[in-house]
Amino acid sequence: MTKFKSYVTREIGELLWDGFTDPAGVGINIFDLLDGAALAGVNLTDDQIDGVLTHVNEIDGWTSDDEEVRDKIAYATDHATYEQLSAWLSYVVGDTTAAGLVKEWEDEAQTILDRFDRQNEAHTMTIKDWRETFEEELKETTDPDEREAIKATAALLDGEDPESLEVCYVATDPVDFTILPGGATTKAEKALCRELALN
């Protein structure tokens, strides 16, 4: 599971769609893409696959059956889950290449977060990461007041999705958490949601 599931899911979908519309340009085997589509819930018959393979390089030769396949692929690349798209990508490009692509997209997403944090004097991590940070802080202090403050701050995150991204603004006092995307209120937060495809 990736830390940046929304972002990586979008990127996988876009790559697979580009692979369908321009397999030679993207360097994807169109047969593997069509054959692996079942992993994302797209069940194609042999005749449907053969039809697309026959017309894949023709501008005007597509049939209504080919268009139906295209619509199914388009829907899947837009709506399938991270798990489905990840399995489909691995089927098409292999596990090693897929893992490398996911790592690249994770790095891109982290760059976006780092830029947001620098510009807004904030720290943005997942709820899970914040909880781990608070646990470490609790281990590092025996001061009762500090421990109570850490516990109180951690309690603000109770009931939240561990994978949700959450912003802590450094300059605010007391600590002000904004949990994205539902808590995105500023223009900058909304821009971050758009860039990371959070919804």
Side-chain angles (χ1 to χ4, degrees), residues 83-94:
E83 290 75 17
Q84 290 173 316
L85 289 176
S86 180
W88 190 5
L89 179 66
S90 293
Y91 185 90
V92 174
V93 302

Side-chain angles (χ1 to χ4, degrees), residues 113-125 130 166-172 176 178 188-189 192:
L113 281 188
D114 291 345
R115 184 176 66 239
F116 174 87
D117 284 350
R118 283 194 308 274
Q119 293 173 345
N120 297 280
E121 295 187 64
H123 294 306
T124 304
M125 298 190 292
W130 277 110
E166 172 234 311
V167 183
C168 172
Y169 289 97
V170 178
T172 57
D176 177 25
T178 299
E189 288 163 3
L192 177 65

Side-chain angles (χ1 to χ4, degrees), residues 10 145 181:
R10 180 186 67 184
D145 291 336

